[in-house]
C-alpha cells in the first residue's frame, strides 16, 4: 500500500459512538500507518468521556486533524449552516477522498464533495450506509422519503461500500440497483482483538454491551433474562454496559420486575474490560448491518448469542444455533438457557477464531478500502454494473 502515492483522506460521520466510530478508527490507524494523511469530521454534541479517550488513542494518526461541529440526527433547517461550515472546513483540508459514513455523514460528504467538484476541485466521494437509512421500511412515508433521497444522492456518489451481503442486498431491494461503482468489504477487527479474554472470578452469567436504545433490544435482554431464570429454575446475574437515550426506561423496567439486584448497569468502557465480566455475550438487536460487537466477542473467545438480523448470520453461520428470532424474548431465553446448561455448547456452536480472522480482519478491510480510494482518486471509470462489482468484491 505504501508504494502508491499518499492520499489525503477525510472521514465524515455524525455520532462518534458504536460501530461506525470503531470502523473509522480502524481505517484511520491502518491508513495512517501506511503513509496517508487522515482526518475526521463528526458531531460535537454526542459522545462522552469514553469516546474522548478513544479519540485520544487515534489523535497521533490524524494528521488532518479532528473537526467537531454540531450535527443533528434528524433533518432540520440548521443543516444549511452545518453544510456551509463543513464546506469551508473541508475545502481548507484539500482532501483527495471524502468518505461519508451513516446517513448524515453520507449527505455531508457527497454534497460538499460535489460542491468542490463544481469548483474544479477533484475529490472522490464515497458512502457507506452502516445500516442507517436502510432500516426504514418502504411502506412508511418517512421510509419512502429517506430511501428516495438515497437514490437521488447516487448522482453525487463515486462509490458505495457495503459492509456485508445483507446491506448490499437490502440496498438493492429498497433503494434500487446501484448506479455508482460498488464494493463489498466486510468489517474487520485488528490483531490485538483476536486474544482470548478470560472471565473474572466475580463474572456474571450474561452481558449486554452497546447503545441503550430500543433498536438494539435492551428490553428484550431484560425480558429474556427473566424467562431464562424461570427455564433454569434459579437466580442468575447479568450486566448492561453502555449508555443511550432509553437508559432510565430500562432501569425502571428492571426495578418493576424485581431484577434490579440481579441485572447491574455500568457506563461505556473499553470492550476488553466488558468481556472480562462474563463468558456469554447477548446481542438482541432488532436491526443491524454488521455489528462490531459480534466480531469482537468472537475474537475474545466469548459465547455470542444474537438476533438473526443484518449480517450477523454471515459471521456466526446461517444455520447457527446461536441465532434467535428477532424481537422474540422467548426464543432468546431458550438459547440463553442452552448456553448455560448444555455441556460443550460453546465449542459445538461458535465459529473458530481462525475462521473469523480469515475473513473479518481489519488489515484486509483497510487494504480493500484503500485500493478503492486509489481507483477513484486516479480517475478510473465508475461505470461498472452492480453485478460486475459484486463479482469483483
Amino acid at each position: 500500500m505504501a508504494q502508491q502515492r499518499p492520499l489525503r483522506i477525510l472521514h465524515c460521520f455524525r455520532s462518534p459512538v458504536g460501530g461506525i466510530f470503531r470502523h473509522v478508527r480502524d481505517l484511520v490507524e491502518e491508513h495512517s500507518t501506511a503513509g496517508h494523511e487522515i482526518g475526521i469530521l463528526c458531531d460535537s454534541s454526542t459522545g462522552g468521556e469514553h469516546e474522548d479517550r478513544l479519540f485520544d488513542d487515534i489523535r497521533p494518526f490524524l494528521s488532518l486533524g479532528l473537526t467537531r461541529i454540531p450535527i443533528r440526527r434528524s433533518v432540520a433547517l440548521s443543516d444549511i449552516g452545518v453544510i456551509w461550515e463543513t464546506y469551508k472546513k473541508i475545502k481548507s483540508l484539500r482532501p483527495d477522498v471524502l468518505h461519508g459514513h451513516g446517513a448524515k455523514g453520507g449527505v455531508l460528504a457527497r454534497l460538499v464533495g460535489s460542491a468542490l467538484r463544481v469548483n474544479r476541485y477533484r475529490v472522490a466521494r464515497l458512502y457507506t450506509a452502516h445500516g442507517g437509512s436502510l432500516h426504514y421500511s418502504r411502506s412508511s412515508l418517512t421510509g419512502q422519503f429517506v430511501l428516495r433521497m438515497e437514490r437521488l444522492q447516487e448522482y453525487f456518489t463515486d462509490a458505495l461500500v457495503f459492509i456485508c451481503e445483507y446491506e448490499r442486498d437490502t440496498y438493492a431491494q429498497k433503494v434500487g440497483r446501484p448506479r455508482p461503482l460498488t464494493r463489498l468489504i466486510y468489517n474487520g477487527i485488528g490483531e490485538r482483538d483476536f486474544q482470548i479474554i478470560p472471565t473474572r472470578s466475580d463474572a456474571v452469567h450474561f452481558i449486554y454491551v452497546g447503545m441503550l436504545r430500543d433498536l438494539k433490544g435492551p428490553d428484550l435482554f431484560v425480558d429474556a433474562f427473566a424467562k431464562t431464570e424461570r427455564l433454569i429454575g434459579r437466580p442468575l446475574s447479568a450486566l448492561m454496559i453502555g449508555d443511550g437515550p432509553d437508559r432510565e426506561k430500562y432501569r425502571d423496567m428492571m426495578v418493576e420486575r424485581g431484577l434490579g439486584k440481579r441485572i447491574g448497569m455500568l457506563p461505556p468502557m473499553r470492550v476488553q474490560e466488558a468481556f472480562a465480566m462474563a463468558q456469554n455475550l447477548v446481542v438482541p438487536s432488532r436491526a443491524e448491518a454488521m455489528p462490531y460487537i459480534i466480531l469482537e466477542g468472537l475474537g475474545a473467545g466469548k459465547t455470542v448469542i444474537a438476533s438473526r438480523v443484518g449480517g450477523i448470520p454471515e459471521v456466526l453461520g446461517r444455520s447457527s444455533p446461536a441465532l434467535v428470532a428477532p424481537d422474540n424474548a422467548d426464543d432468546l431465553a431458550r438459547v440463553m438457557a442452552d448456553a448455560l446448561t448444555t455441556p460443550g455448547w460453546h465449542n459445538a456452536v461458535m465459529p473458530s477464531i481462525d475462521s473469523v480472522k480469515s475473513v473479518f480482519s481489519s488489515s484486509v478491510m483497510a487494504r480493500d478500502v484503500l485500493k478503492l480510494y486509489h481507483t477513484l482518486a486516479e480517475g478510473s471509470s465508475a461505470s461498472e454494473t452492480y453485478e460486475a462489482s459484486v463479482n469483483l468484491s
Side-chain angles (χ1 to χ4, degrees):
M1 290 192 298
Q3 293 178 351
Q4 295 175 299
R5 76 175 179 91
L7 297 175
R8 297 172 66 85
I9 303 163
L10 186 65
H11 294 278
C12 301
F13 55 97
R14 194 186 73 84
S15 184
V17 297
I20 289 181
F21 191 26
R22 168 64 200 261
H23 180 85
V24 171
R25 295 199 315 271
D26 283 341
L27 290 177
V28 165
E29 186 171 343
E30 293 272 358
H31 291 162
S32 175
T33 301
H36 303 278
E37 296 183 80
I38 318 295
I40 284 177
L41 186 145
C42 67
D43 178 42
S44 60
S45 62
T46 50
E49 292 182 3
H50 174 62
E51 286 72 30
D52 288 341
R53 290 194 295 270
L54 295 176
F55 274 125
D56 288 340
D57 289 345
I58 62 170
R59 282 183 196 278
F61 302 101
L62 294 174
S63 56
L64 297 185
L66 169 63
T67 301
R68 303 193 67 177
I69 58 177
I71 304 174
R72 292 167 55 98
R73 183 181 186 88
S74 56
V75 177
L77 286 175
S78 60
D79 288 346
I80 297 174
V82 170
I83 292 172
W84 174 240
E85 290 301 315
T86 302
Y87 172 80
K88 290 190 294 184
K89 180 61 181 179
I90 292 177
K91 183 179 179 182
S92 71
L93 293 174
R94 299 178 292 108
D96 299 300
V97 174
L98 273 175
H99 194 158
H101 303 266
K104 263 304 181 65
V107 169
L108 291 175
R110 291 182 283 182
L111 282 181
V112 171
S114 299
L116 290 171
R117 290 176 72 150
V118 167
N119 291 317
R120 300 181 182 275
Y121 183 96
R122 180 164 183 80
V123 59
R125 304 157 299 176
L126 295 91
Y127 172 54
T128 303
H130 297 277
S133 58
L134 301 183
H135 293 322
Y136 285 90
S137 170
R138 295 180 66 179
S139 62
S140 69
L141 289 176
T142 301
Q144 289 179 28
F145 171 77
V146 169
L147 296 170
R148 286 174 180 171
M149 288 300 295
E150 287 285 4
R151 192 61 162 174
L152 176 64
Q153 289 179 92
E154 287 187 347
Y155 291 105
F156 314 110
T157 307
D158 297 307
L160 297 168
V161 180
F162 298 113
I163 58 175
C164 59
E165 292 179 16
Y166 168 82
E167 185 174 81
R168 181 195 67 195
D169 296 343
T170 300
Y171 187 99
Q173 292 165 7
K174 291 187 175 182
V175 179
R177 196 171 79 169
R179 299 185 185 100
L181 179 69
T182 67
R183 288 289 185 269
L184 170 62
I185 303 175
Y186 278 118
N187 280 346
I189 56 177
E191 189 69 30
R192 62 180 175 269
D193 297 302
F194 289 102
Q195 297 181 22
I196 301 297
I197 298 178
T199 56
R200 299 176 358 180
S201 59
D202 60 346
V204 297
H205 293 98
F206 300 102
I207 54 171
Y208 167 94
V209 181
M211 284 286 289
L212 299 181
R213 54 187 292 233
D214 285 349
L215 185 71
K216 300 297 184 179
D219 57 317
L220 294 172
F221 177 71
V222 173
D223 194 8
F225 175 85
K227 294 175 184 291
T228 304
E229 286 190 325
R230 292 196 289 272
L231 286 173
I232 294 179
R234 60 184 172 90
L236 300 173
S237 57
L239 282 171
M240 298 178 68
I241 302 170
D243 204 353
D246 299 318
R247 179 184 177 88
E248 293 309 311
K249 180 175 75 172
Y250 304 134
R251 185 187 296 278
D252 293 343
M253 180 181 179
M254 289 186 291
V255 171
E256 290 170 4
R257 299 188 180 198
L259 301 172
K261 293 184 178 180
R262 301 200 295 283
I263 304 179
M265 300 187 82
L266 293 174
M269 64 183 68
R270 294 186 185 276
V271 74
Q272 293 82 4
E273 298 175 48
F275 287 159
M277 297 180 181
Q279 173 59 32
N280 300 297
L281 170 67
V282 181
V283 184
S285 300
R286 291 182 167 89
E288 287 287 359
M290 175 58 76
Y292 269 95
I293 193 66
I294 300 287
L295 304 179
E296 292 167 331
L298 293 174
K302 298 301 165 180
T303 300
V304 180
I305 301 165
S307 302
R308 185 185 291 276
V309 295
I312 294 176
E314 297 171 50
V315 186
L316 291 178
R318 298 184 189 279
S319 60
S320 172
L323 294 170
V324 304
D327 210 0
N328 188 324
D330 289 324
D331 199 33
L332 180 57
R334 175 186 61 80
V335 177
M336 289 167 68
D338 285 346
L340 280 187
T341 60
T342 304
W345 197 86
H346 172 93
N347 291 336
V349 173
M350 292 295 102
S352 70
I353 291 180
D354 287 342
S355 67
V356 175
K357 191 175 183 179
S358 67
V359 179
F360 303 99
S361 163
S362 64
S363 60
V364 173
M365 174 185 73
R367 179 200 68 198
D368 291 346
V369 169
L370 187 58
K371 181 179 178 181
L372 178 58
Y373 289 168
H374 276 291
T375 296
L376 298 173
E378 291 163 9
S380 296
S381 171
S383 61
E384 296 175 45
T385 64
Y386 176 66
E387 291 86 352
S389 63
V390 167
N391 290 333
L392 286 170
S393 294

